[in-house]
Amino acid sequence: MSRAQLLIDTDPGVDDALAILMAHAHADIAGLSIAAGNVGLGHTVRNALTLVDLLGTSVPVFAGCATPLVRAASEDAALVHGQDGFGDIGFPEPVSRAHHEAAALALLRLTRERPGELTLVALGPLTNLALALRLDPDLPGRVARLVIMGGAVTGHGNTGNVPAEFNIGFDPEAAHVVFEAFAAFDLVDWEATLRHGFADAQFDDWLAAGDQRAAFFAKIVGAARRYNAEHDRVGVVAADALAMAVALDPSIVTRSETRAVAIELDGRLTRGATVVDWAGRLGRPAQANIVLDVDQDRFAAMVRRALGDAR
Ligand code: BDR
Ligand code: CA
């Protein structure tokens, strides 16, 4: 299989970091466009640059919007990822620098330079992508695929608005723009994430067998593992890594359903929910290929190699 060609929109973030390690190990990365989300934009850009330094690559990093499109976000995810988004380890200032081009403009330019070639992987709030779509509605026609980590397709979300998942709940208007604009995309939701965690002992074994990437990830994942253990999340759960696995190799999907999915923009308790028309009652085009299960062993193999475990 030829290497996937990826354009990654992300808000690093611990599980974003694992996804980017996977992308680096298994694919070519045209660029990292950076969103605010897990923590503020200053931290997410810096974290992306820290990863670029770690990997010794020249992948360009583009800073995006510092806020959601319309309403201020009601929460971030610093409790899970640490105040700096990377477990509050205190990494030195990165050597790499962000490019001056805005993320939305970089998304448009890179897809114009390579029409039909790039798989767009969205691992954070969809603010940059929505802005790009408003500037150029032809964008969907220029990407090979879109894979989104977001949503909770039966309402088992992970935010204060209970049915909403974080990436969608952070910027529901942006998600609405994206979900309305693309005629087809893969959706990897929070509920699938919880079904595809890794046992702690197994993950520790991979970290011990890996190289400097594993040593780095072992540091930043500590806070998130503690948070998960205190919140009934079993083992290591990594939403963005699961989405990245689907982006890298769609054949790992063993069960999926294609349905119309819309975003709730109001709702006293439900703003940001992904509303799935499971029974096809509304007659709306079914645009979201909802990933329900993947081959866990193949997913694990991708993660292990990305951490440098060559056994
Ligand atoms: C998503 O929200 C973020 O905290 C993670 O990085 C992931 O993209 C999971 O709901
Ligand atoms: Ca993320």
Side-chain angles (χ1 to χ4, degrees):
M1 203 176 66
S2 58
R3 279 168 79 84
Q5 305 295 309
L6 305 180
L7 187 48
I8 305 172
D9 193 74
T10 173
D11 62 332
V14 175
D15 59 333
D16 300 79
L18 185 57
I20 292 166
L21 295 181
M22 291 167 70
H24 178 73
H26 302 287
D28 297 328
I29 308 173
L32 297 171
S33 57
I34 308 301
N38 283 320
V39 288
L41 187 71
H43 285 306
T44 56
V45 170
R46 179 184 161 124
N47 292 345
L49 295 168
T50 296
L51 278 169
V52 165
D53 283 358
L54 172 80
L55 295 170
T57 86
S58 54
V59 170
V61 171
F62 306 99
C65 303
T67 60
L69 288 187
V70 180
R71 290 203 222 166
S74 53
E75 57 187 293
D76 66 14
L79 271 179
V80 184
H81 299 261
Q83 296 303 315
D84 70 358
F86 265 5
D88 296 324
I89 304 302
F91 291 113
E93 185 67 26
V95 175
S96 300
R97 289 278 164 256
H99 286 228
H100 288 301
E101 191 175 22
L105 298 178
L107 291 171
L108 295 178
R109 178 180 57 77
L110 290 165
T111 55
R112 283 182 189 132
E113 288 172 0
R114 301 175 61 185
E117 284 183 28
L118 300 173
T119 290
L120 186 51
V121 194
L123 304 176
L126 292 162
T127 319
N128 295 328
L129 187 46
L131 190 56
L133 283 163
R134 283 299 191 241
L135 290 167
D136 181 359
D138 294 336
L139 171 63
R142 295 198 301 276
V143 299
R145 286 172 70 207
L146 169 65
V147 179
I148 296 174
M149 190 287 126
V153 296
T154 66
H156 295 72
N158 59 359
T159 69
N161 279 355
V162 175
E165 175 278 335
F166 180 78
N167 287 342
I168 307 297
F170 188 90
D171 192 346
E173 281 76 16
H176 167 74
V177 170
V178 174
F179 278 52
E180 296 290 308
F182 278 81
F185 55 87
D186 291 317
L187 186 66
V188 177
D189 83 325
W190 177 248
E191 297 166 22
T193 300
L194 294 180
R195 286 193 295 278
H196 294 86
F198 299 114
D200 281 308
Q202 182 186 43
F203 203 85
D204 284 334
D205 177 53
W206 303 344
L207 289 176
D211 58 18
Q212 81 285 357
R213 294 167 288 181
F216 173 84
F217 194 72
K219 283 185 195 162
I220 68 169
V221 77
R225 289 179 86 170
R226 280 191 294 282
Y227 179 92
N228 287 341
E230 287 160 10
H231 291 81
D232 292 332
R233 293 177 189 167
V234 178
V236 176
V237 289
D240 295 336
L242 182 63
M244 184 56 72
V246 171
L248 291 167
D249 184 357
S251 77
I252 74 159
V253 176
T254 54
R255 191 165 65 97
S256 65
E257 303 262 2
T258 302
R259 293 288 186 276
V261 180
I263 308 300
E264 173 60 64
L265 297 179
D266 304 305
R268 190 169 55 89
L269 302 171
T270 56
R271 177 170 153 78
T274 37
V275 180
V276 182
D277 185 7
W278 286 108
R281 287 165 180 267
L282 301 179
R284 291 168 59 99
Q287 89 282 41
N289 181 45
I290 301 166
V291 172
L292 296 169
D293 284 307
V294 308
D295 183 322
Q296 185 75 1
D297 290 341
R298 289 170 63 191
F299 176 30
M302 286 188 208
V303 171
R304 287 175 66 167
R305 269 193 52 200
L307 294 168
D309 175 1
R311 293 172 298 177

